[in-house]
């Protein structure tokens, strides 16, 4: 475990329509009409306007965990334990798993992504590099500002058949969210091109791109959309986070 705890924003992405295999796996296991959320952990809540999909590790194991009578989260068991101890579930300290799900079963599920400019919903897609040991094992995708996310959606669109997805699920429009002096307003696509990153397997260059994007975005970035349009990322970030908390669309999660 890390010495310095990392405080994430855990975002609630409501399931609108299950992929067939996931629907089968959860059938009869939760009350009719209960809400289910995929819950990614992010360090960049101010970028959530730019969500175009949500990633799960196709080979990872997830559970459907009970929050209260009417609400369930899809996350790793490890994250569920942490949340139980952090008082996020109505029954503090213990977890209740309603169903088991493999990442690949969830792929294709349609979800609502809070703040996303894609109001029609976004899809759950596979990402091979999702770590089971970090966050919730669910990663929301912001390809405008995350080089990892941009490299993955590019790869998915290129080889949609191989990944068993519809090409258009990986090709939602990438809107500019943050203006930066050095890399323009689509920081991640700019850096992926500049560092000649060809696939998500170029881990060394991606590490560098991630570092550059984070520093530039955080210290020099100006938000281009939403209620804090025109403000510096540094000052807008806690405001977007607070707004998501107040709307009941996110909560603090640490590990
Ligand atoms: B971030 P740290 Cl726009 N496996 O959110 C792999 N990556 C994971 C993960 C997991 N299990 N859980 C979370 N993450 C990602 C947004 C974002 C992120 C942007 C830019 C950079 C960025 C949209 N994706 O992260 O190791 C999540 O992606 C760059 C560091 O705890 C989360 O924030 O520092 C970040 O990694 C947490 O990484």
């Amino acid at each position: 475990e890390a010495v310095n705890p990392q405080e994430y924003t855990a975002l609630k992405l409501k399931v609108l329509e299950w992929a067939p295999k996931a629907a089968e796996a959860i059938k009869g296991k939760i009350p009719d009409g209960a809400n289910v959320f995929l819950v990614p952990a992010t360090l960049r809540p101010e970028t959530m306007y730019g969500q175009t999909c949500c990633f799960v590790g196709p080979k990872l194991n997830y559970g459907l965990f009970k929050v209260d009578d009417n609400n369930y989260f899809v996350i790793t068991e490890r994250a569920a334990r942490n949340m139980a101890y952090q008082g996020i579930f109505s029954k503090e300290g213990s977890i209740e798993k309603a169903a088991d799900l493999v990442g690949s079963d969830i792929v294709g599920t349609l979800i609502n992504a809070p703040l996303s400019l894609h109001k029609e919903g976004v899809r759950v897609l596979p990402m091979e590099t999702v770590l089971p040991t970090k966050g919730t094992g669910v990663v929301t995708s912001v390809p405008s500002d995350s080089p990892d996310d941009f490299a993955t959606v590019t790869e998915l669109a290129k080889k949609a058949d191989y990944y068993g997805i519809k090409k258009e699920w990986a090709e939602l429009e990438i809107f500019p969210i943050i203006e930066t002096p050095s890399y323009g307003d689509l920081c991640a696509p700019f850096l992926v091109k500049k560092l000649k990153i060809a696939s998500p397997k170029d881990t060394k260059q991606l590490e560098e791109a991630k570092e550059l994007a984070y520093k530039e975005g955080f210290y020099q970035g100006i938000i281009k959309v939403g209620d804090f349009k025109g403000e510096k990322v540094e000052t807008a970030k806690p405001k977007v986070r607070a707004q998501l908390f107040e709307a009941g669309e996110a909560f603090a999660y640490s590990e």
Side-chain angles (χ1 to χ4, degrees), residues 59-78:
K59 299 187 188 90
L60 301 187
N61 297 313
Y62 297 87
L64 188 60
F65 294 95
K66 184 173 174 178
V67 180
D68 56 41
D69 286 341
N70 220 21
N71 296 284
Y72 291 78
F73 288 169
V74 175
I75 49 178
T76 57
E77 182 148 343
R78 181 189 150 279

Side-chain angles (χ1 to χ4, degrees), residues 14-60:
K14 190 176 171 183
V15 172
L16 303 175
E17 184 194 311
W18 285 108
K21 282 183 188 161
E24 193 58 37
I26 69 160
K27 208 169 149 188
K29 300 201 167 154
I30 58 171
D32 278 345
N35 301 311
V36 182
F37 301 90
L38 267 82
V39 184
T42 180
L43 293 173
R44 304 284 313 269
E46 77 284 4
T47 68
M48 295 298 108
Y49 305 100
Q51 294 173 91
T52 67
C53 59
C54 175
F55 298 127
V56 294
K59 299 187 188 90
L60 301 187

Side-chain angles (χ1 to χ4, degrees), residues 6 8 41-44 47-48 129-131 134-135 137-142 145-146 149 210:
Q6 184 76 269
Y8 295 101
T42 180
L43 293 173
R44 304 284 313 269
T47 68
M48 295 298 108
T129 53
V130 174
L131 298 167
K134 184 195 286 194
V138 180
V139 179
T140 196
S141 175
V142 182
D145 291 277
S146 163
D149 298 353
K210 197 153 73 179

